[in-house]
Amino acid sequence: ELGPPNTGYVYACTNNRVFVSSNWGNPFVAVPNIAFSSVPATNDRASLAVTPNAPNSLYVSFGRDRLLYRSDNNGTSFTMVNASSPVTQAYMAAFVVSPSNANNVIVGEVTLQRSMNGGTSFAQIGSGTVHADVHELQYNPINHFLYAACDGGVYRSIDQGANWEAIYNGLNISQYYHM
């Protein structure tokens, strides 16, 4: 995951470790294991998310174990913000932070869920209009529209996930995993 523009920060993760570079990936340094001591080595899905709104902030989700951490110092240290986050599946862990509000965290798996308090609590959004199995969430950096790629197509929200429209008409493909 690239940090916000012009910061030089690049982040990477494995099943239970996070690596940080402050020089565009040369070199990467492992965050000390103590930060993620509650993440078992058997965890098999981790996701990272950053936002230009808070260039020092980084979220990491350990999906299978439902653990959500946040750093506000470029990954030097982390605090667990949620021990039962809604990202639970091993093969999908869509996860994004709003480019205009570092406390607006959206996750997707079978449903879409949003936190307005930095990941402490989540509520379902989108009222079932987006097909299940959300594999990717991305904000357009220009207009902040939110896009979801899932097993049933691609969807767009212009209001932070409250309402969605299908935008896959004319595409002869399915099961979108990345944008």
Side-chain angles (χ1 to χ4, degrees), residues 67 116 137:
L67 304 173
M116 296 299 291
L137 291 165

Side-chain angles (χ1 to χ4, degrees), residues 59-168:
Y59 287 90
V60 61
S61 170
F62 295 102
R64 172 150 285 179
D65 296 296
R66 303 180 65 174
L67 304 173
L68 180 63
Y69 290 83
R70 180 175 174 164
S71 171
D72 289 311
N73 55 14
N74 297 306
T76 301
S77 63
F78 285 82
T79 301
M80 184 188 301
V81 293
N82 195 316
S84 61
S85 72
V87 179
T88 61
Q89 299 299 320
Y91 70 98
M92 57 185 170
F95 180 45
V96 69
V97 180
S98 167
S100 59
N101 181 346
N103 289 315
N104 184 354
V105 180
I106 298 178
V107 298
E109 58 164 20
V110 176
T111 63
L112 289 164
Q113 308 252 342
R114 177 176 56 209
S115 171
M116 296 299 291
N117 56 15
T120 302
S121 62
F122 287 84
Q124 187 171 343
I125 58 171
S127 59
T129 55
V130 174
H131 191 281
D133 291 356
V134 178
H135 294 277
E136 183 74 20
L137 291 165
Q138 288 290 325
Y139 277 98
N140 179 322
I142 297 168
N143 60 19
H144 297 183
F145 290 178
L146 178 60
Y147 293 84
C150 61
D151 287 0
V154 179
Y155 297 80
R156 175 178 57 211
S157 173
I158 62 172
D159 57 8
Q160 297 294 313
N163 297 288
W164 294 85
E165 68 174 312
I167 60 169
Y168 53 81

